[in-house]
């Protein structure tokens, strides 16, 4: 596993260095157009007591302008930023100085009326309660300031809209009830952790166990009192799996780590594309490279690995539980309820805690001019749309207004889990329906995304390496309709379930595979036995004694494979019919030599004195007094 992780990191480093190399030295080739981002000094503006406004400006089409024609040539390429949309962070004091000397006619020329565009570029006004007020105060001066710069340098004009402004005397809202509840919960967690840790260390001195924090304490009150213990929980997180199932799938931990490393890297790059950049051409040039572009198409499939692991473990755990408790399948509704409740008990407490923090204290973290766009919008969504998270439907509802945007995965995963548990219970309860369930899963994997792509005219793979990420914080239609829903992204989970079913079947039919191997060895033994007899009796091949020895030898090879009393009686009767005393002794002696006493214990089930005497003689000849005829023919090892 370490070798795999090392090789993975080497590959990532190679691609990263290749990407850096491929985009160097291209600045001279980039067409000159307005900068996507220009930000005034936020701290300096606040020190001078001026308002600082975040502004989005859409460039007005002008076919006679060469710069506009260059911009228009990139609009259809989704691996380019939308260069007809520029973002400015303007200090109003500086802006007023810039436009102070403009005449009335110049002002009229620089003011642009709103015009229709085919894309969203502003967040909903509900996230900015004072937006209309700021537009009345600073809307005209902001338009004049931006258009004066665009016209003087590029001969272009734009329509600018204020998103939000930060006043120098701005204050955060006072603490409300939910803020107080969040603070109280955090304090309780900290207090419980401290007290539980202290008590756990006290027990360590008192009990003097070899590995105290890794030991499950017997009294229930001790387990409850140490449930918040920090060292005990850290040890539990780092402890290797103890169950046989956990050991069988230990390799998945490496897969999870490697996949999570990729996911973190991809989302980090995505966030870098969403924030203001001084050199956005870096990403544009990188995504024009065929290798980098190909890798970006794989990024949306990373989550399928987690779904596949989830489906695999769900199937294996449930099928193992049903195999150990066969009567529980009759009360499959109770099994379904218990499994779902157990899963929610593990997810909901932490999930609720994170939603509470995002809805309350998170919005009080100062992040400069991007505060309202990122933190404020997220906090507002958690205050209004928290219910879609708790109902685990936020991969369908409030797609662009969801609380904790990445939490769509939890909703999709729970939906797959419910379907997977129900399907497995039905397949176990009614085995004849298995082929229909598997057929449904396979058909849905193809029909779900296929129909969405067909009816909505969407691309089959994500082609929005940059466009959906910047400069807004919206998810585009492909992400909402193909990437997140149950019916379009189920392939990984469903095939994980099928893999788990296959693993369970092979694991519990392993005896059959072993028996097949034994039969192969048995066939080889018979051939060797036949070869020896043929070589030693070439002159009397048709002699009855030779045939008897041959058949007796073949019958003796059946001894280790007897599984029931009827089989034992059948083999014993055949041996007694065709084998004389000497052959019986050879038969049992050969069985002892090759298989050991435990493998031919069927002898104790027979009642023939002649056969038992031969067995008794053979055992004493081989291993002394290991066969005791005075104890009802019980073995002594």
């Amino acid at each position: 596993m370490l070798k795999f992780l090392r090789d993975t990191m080497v590959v990532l480093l190679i691609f990263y260095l290749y990407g850096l190399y491929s985009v160097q030295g291209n600045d001279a080739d980039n067409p000159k157009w307005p900068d996507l981002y220009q930000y005034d000094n936020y701290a300096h503006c606040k020190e001078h007591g001026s308002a600082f406004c975040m502004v989005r400006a859409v460039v007005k089409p002008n076919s006679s302008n060469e710069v506009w024609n260059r911009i228009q040539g990139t609009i259809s390429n989704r691996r380019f930023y939308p260069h007809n949309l520029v973002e400015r962070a303007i200090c109003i004091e500086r802006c007023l100085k810039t436009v102070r000397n403009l005449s009335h006619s110049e002002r009229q020329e620089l003011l642009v009326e709103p015009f229709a565009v085919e894309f969203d570029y502003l967040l909903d006004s509900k996230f900015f309660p004072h937006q209309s007020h700021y537009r009345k105060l600073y809307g005209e001066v902001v338009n004049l300031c931006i258009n004066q710069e665009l016209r003087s340098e590029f001969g272009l004009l734009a329509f600018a809209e204020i998103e939000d402004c930060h006043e120098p005397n701005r204050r955060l809202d006072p603490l409300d009830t939910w803020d107080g509840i969040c603070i109280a919960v955090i304090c309780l967690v900290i207090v419980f952790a401290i007290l539980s840790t202290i008590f756990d260390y006290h027990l360590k001195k008192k009990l003097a166990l070899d590995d105290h924090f890794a030991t499950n304490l017997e009294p229930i009150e001790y387990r409850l009192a140490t449930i918040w213990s920090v060292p005990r929980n850290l040890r539990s997180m780092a402890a290797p799996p103890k169950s046989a199932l956990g050991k069988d799938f230990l390799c998945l931990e490496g897969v999870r780590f490697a996949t999570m490393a990729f996911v973190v890297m991809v989302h980090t790059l995505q966030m870098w594309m969403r924030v203001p950049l001084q050199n956005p051409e870096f990403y544009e040039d990188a995504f024009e490279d065929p290798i980098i572009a190909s890798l970006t198409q794989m990024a949306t499939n990373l989550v399928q690995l987690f779904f596949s692991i989830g489906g695999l473990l769900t199937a294996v755990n449930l099928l193992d539980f049903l195999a150990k408790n066969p009567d529980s399948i009759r009360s499959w509704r109770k099994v379904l309820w218990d499994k779902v409740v157990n899963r929610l008990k593990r997810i909901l407490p932490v999930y609720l805690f994170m939603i509470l923090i995002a809805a309350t204290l998170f919005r009080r973290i100062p992040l400069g001019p991007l505060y309202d766009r990122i933190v404020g919008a997220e906090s507002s969504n958690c205050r209004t749309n928290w219910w879609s998270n708790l109902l685990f439907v936020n991969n369908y509802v409030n797609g662009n207004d969801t609380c904790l945007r990445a939490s769509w995965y939890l909703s999709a995963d729970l939906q797959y889990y419910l379907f997977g548990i129900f399907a497995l219970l039905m397949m176990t309860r009614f085995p004849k329906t298995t082929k229909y369930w598997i057929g449904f899963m396979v058909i849905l994997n193809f029909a779900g995304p296929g129909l969405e792509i067909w009816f909505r005219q969407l691309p089959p793979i994500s082609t929005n390496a940059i466009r959906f990420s910047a400069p807004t914080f919206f998810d585009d239609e492909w992400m909402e309709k193909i990437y997140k829903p149950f019916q379009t992204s189920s392939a990984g989970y469903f095939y994980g379930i099928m893999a788990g079913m296959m693993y369970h079947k092979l694991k519990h039919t392993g005896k059959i595979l072993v028996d097949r191997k034994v039969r192969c060895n048995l066939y080889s033994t018979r051939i060797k036995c036949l070869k020896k007899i043929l070589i030693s009796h070439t002159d009397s091949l048709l002699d009855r004694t030779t045939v008897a020895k041959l058949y007796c030898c073949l019958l003796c090879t059946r001894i280790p494979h007897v599984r029931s009393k009827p089989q034992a009686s059948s083999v014993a009767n055949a041996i007694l019919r065709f084998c004389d005393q000497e052959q019986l002794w050879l038969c049992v002696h050969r069985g002892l030599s090759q298989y050991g006493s435990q493998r031919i214990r069927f002898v104790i089930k027979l009642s023939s004195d002649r056969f038992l005497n031969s067995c008794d003689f053979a055992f004493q000849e081989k291993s002394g007094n290991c066969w005791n005829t005075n104890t009802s023919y019980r073995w002594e090892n």
Side-chain angles (χ1 to χ4, degrees), residues 365-383:
I365 301 175
L367 290 178
L370 297 178
Y371 163 83
D372 291 291
R373 185 186 301 172
I374 301 175
V375 178
E378 186 78 42
S379 180
S380 177
N381 287 335
C382 287
R383 282 178 170 258

Side-chain angles (χ1 to χ4, degrees), residues 361-533:
L361 300 185
F362 187 49
R363 65 192 175 99
R364 300 183 177 279
I365 301 175
L367 290 178
L370 297 178
Y371 163 83
D372 291 291
R373 185 186 301 172
I374 301 175
V375 178
E378 186 78 42
S379 180
S380 177
N381 287 335
C382 287
R383 282 178 170 258
T384 56
N385 298 324
W386 55 269
W387 59 269
S388 62
N389 291 65
L390 295 187
L391 293 178
F392 294 93
V393 294
N394 59 323
N395 58 330
Y396 285 98
V397 183
N398 301 321
N400 282 317
D401 295 329
T402 185
C403 170
L404 302 176
R405 187 169 296 271
S407 63
W408 72 267
Y409 173 86
L410 290 177
S411 298
D413 187 60
L414 182 64
Q415 293 162 14
Y416 293 139
Y417 182 78
L418 291 174
F419 175 86
I421 291 290
F422 181 76
L424 289 167
L425 287 172
M426 291 299 99
M427 285 186 278
T428 307
R429 182 71 175 85
F430 308 103
K432 292 183 179 180
T433 64
T434 300
K435 58 183 179 182
Y436 300 109
W437 283 103
I438 294 178
F440 171 77
M441 289 188 282
V442 173
I443 291 173
L444 183 62
N445 290 337
F446 289 95
L451 293 175
E452 287 283 352
I453 290 169
W454 184 25
F455 285 112
R456 299 183 183 275
Q457 296 298 304
L458 296 173
I461 57 177
S462 174
T463 58
N464 50 12
I466 290 179
R467 185 59 56 87
F468 93 97
S469 297
T472 62
F473 281 76
F474 302 128
D475 283 343
D476 72 345
E477 188 178 14
W478 192 93
M479 299 292 291
E480 292 299 321
K481 303 303 181 183
I482 302 297
Y483 187 64
K484 296 180 179 180
F486 171 91
Q487 75 278 6
T488 56
S489 189
S490 59
Y493 201 91
F494 286 172
Y495 288 118
I497 288 178
M498 297 178 199
M501 294 170 62
M502 185 179 300
Y503 169 86
H504 177 80
K505 183 176 181 62
L506 291 177
K507 176 183 177 181
H508 290 274
T509 57
K511 183 192 296 185
I512 297 176
L513 299 178
V514 172
D515 286 348
R516 289 177 180 175
K517 183 177 180 181
V518 169
R519 290 191 189 107
C520 293
N521 294 335
L522 173 62
Y523 177 77
S524 176
T525 303
R526 291 175 178 176
I527 295 299
K528 292 178 180 178
C529 186
L530 176 61
K531 181 179 178 181
K532 290 181 179 180
I533 293 178

Side-chain angles (χ1 to χ4, degrees), residues 270-452:
Q270 187 182 88
M271 290 308 300
W272 274 112
M273 289 187 287
R274 289 180 177 229
V275 297
L277 297 172
Q278 188 175 4
N279 57 336
E281 295 82 8
F282 174 88
Y283 285 108
E284 293 177 336
D285 292 341
F287 285 110
E288 283 294 294
D289 183 89
I291 294 180
I292 302 298
S294 299
L295 288 176
T296 59
Q297 307 308 319
M298 300 169 55
T300 54
N301 295 322
L302 289 174
V303 71
Q304 291 298 326
L305 287 174
F306 288 114
F307 285 145
S308 297
I309 293 173
L312 172 65
L313 297 180
T314 296
V316 171
N317 278 305
L318 180 61
L319 294 176
D320 278 1
F321 171 80
L322 295 177
K324 295 176 182 178
N325 305 275
D327 294 336
S328 61
I329 190 57
R330 298 185 181 275
S331 56
W332 61 269
R333 293 180 181 84
K334 183 178 184 303
V335 175
L336 177 62
W337 174 259
D338 290 343
K339 292 290 183 181
V340 174
V341 169
N342 181 62
R343 189 177 185 86
L344 292 178
K345 285 193 298 185
R346 292 186 289 110
I347 295 176
L348 275 181
V350 179
Y351 198 15
L352 279 170
F353 184 60
M354 293 305 301
I355 293 175
L356 182 62
I357 290 179
T360 56
L361 300 185
F362 187 49
R363 65 192 175 99
R364 300 183 177 279
I365 301 175
L367 290 178
L370 297 178
Y371 163 83
D372 291 291
R373 185 186 301 172
I374 301 175
V375 178
E378 186 78 42
S379 180
S380 177
N381 287 335
C382 287
R383 282 178 170 258
T384 56
N385 298 324
W386 55 269
W387 59 269
S388 62
N389 291 65
L390 295 187
L391 293 178
F392 294 93
V393 294
N394 59 323
N395 58 330
Y396 285 98
V397 183
N398 301 321
N400 282 317
D401 295 329
T402 185
C403 170
L404 302 176
R405 187 169 296 271
S407 63
W408 72 267
Y409 173 86
L410 290 177
S411 298
D413 187 60
L414 182 64
Q415 293 162 14
Y416 293 139
Y417 182 78
L418 291 174
F419 175 86
I421 291 290
F422 181 76
L424 289 167
L425 287 172
M426 291 299 99
M427 285 186 278
T428 307
R429 182 71 175 85
F430 308 103
K432 292 183 179 180
T433 64
T434 300
K435 58 183 179 182
Y436 300 109
W437 283 103
I438 294 178
F440 171 77
M441 289 188 282
V442 173
I443 291 173
L444 183 62
N445 290 337
F446 289 95
L451 293 175
E452 287 283 352

